[in-house]
Amino acid sequence: YTTLFRSIKYVILSSTWLPLTVENQLALSNAGKRESSFAAGKMALDRTLDALDQLGLTVIVVGPPALSGTDTGRCLTAAIVRGLPLTKCDFRRSLADGNATATDALLRPLSARVTVINLRDFTCNMRKCAATIDGVPLYRDPRHLSIPGSIALMGRIDLLSRFNSDP
């Protein structure tokens, strides 16, 4: 696809990354060998990055949103219906960091070769993670951002200004 459209300069890889971070699951490699899904996922991600690099593309890897371990989307919906403050759905940063240990192990080493954006850096301070940005609910369920939340978060990250400085 990128070879057909030479105007593409950037590729954003974004996911919850959870299927690639489960140590005790097995995956079938290209050679038909059983290996941990973490090892297989890491190898596949490295091959993808190598291929994109060979095409001369700038890669941005986006980590998952801060996860509380509960259904933050449901909490936000209940707060809206009951007229409660949405801040009641905020959660401890330590929960988010604990839930991201395996994902961090997968993505952190990539920062030596590509831009890695940790969404927790934009929704969490040292003590807590916000379930909203400027009153906009971030989550639609336990693991995914809502569409309005994604838009609000992208405004906070401001990807365009980070990369529009290129000639």
Side-chain angles (χ1 to χ4, degrees):
Y1 186 81
T2 57
T3 57
L4 294 174
F5 297 95
R6 298 282 180 204
S7 62
I8 295 175
K9 295 183 350 183
Y10 303 101
V11 173
I12 299 173
L13 301 177
S14 179
S15 170
T16 64
W17 305 103
L18 291 175
L20 301 183
T21 61
V22 181
E23 277 288 346
N24 60 354
Q25 287 188 356
L26 294 177
L28 196 60
S29 72
N30 286 343
K33 188 172 82 174
R34 289 168 42 136
E35 53 192 59
S36 84
S37 60
F38 183 84
K42 183 170 178 355
M43 284 184 3
L45 185 55
D46 285 339
R47 282 194 308 270
T48 299
L49 295 176
D50 290 342
L52 294 170
D53 187 50
Q54 287 177 355
L55 292 171
L57 298 167
T58 300
V59 177
I60 301 135
V61 174
V62 180
L67 301 176
S68 68
T70 62
D71 192 338
T72 308
R74 179 177 284 182
C75 177
L76 288 163
T77 300
I80 291 167
V81 168
R82 295 179 180 141
L84 299 172
L86 299 181
T87 54
K88 89 174 221 45
C89 300
D90 294 349
F91 50 95
R92 291 189 327 269
R93 171 76 186 241
S94 60
L95 281 174
D97 289 343
N99 288 328
T101 303
T103 305
D104 287 347
L106 176 71
L107 301 183
R108 189 175 291 123
L110 300 180
S111 63
R113 62 188 292 199
V114 298
T115 298
V116 176
I117 296 175
N118 181 341
L119 295 182
R120 283 174 289 155
D121 293 342
F122 297 92
T123 60
C124 304
N125 60 31
M126 294 301 290
R127 292 181 33 219
K128 76 171 186 167
C129 296
T132 62
I133 291 180
D134 299 327
V136 176
L138 284 173
Y139 298 87
R140 68 176 173 95
D141 63 27
R143 291 193 175 118
H144 299 94
L145 296 171
S146 66
I147 292 172
S150 296
I151 293 167
L153 185 55
M154 292 317 300
R156 182 171 282 185
I157 293 170
D158 197 14
L159 267 180
L160 290 178
S161 69
R162 287 173 183 248
F163 297 102
N164 269 347
S165 58
D166 291 348

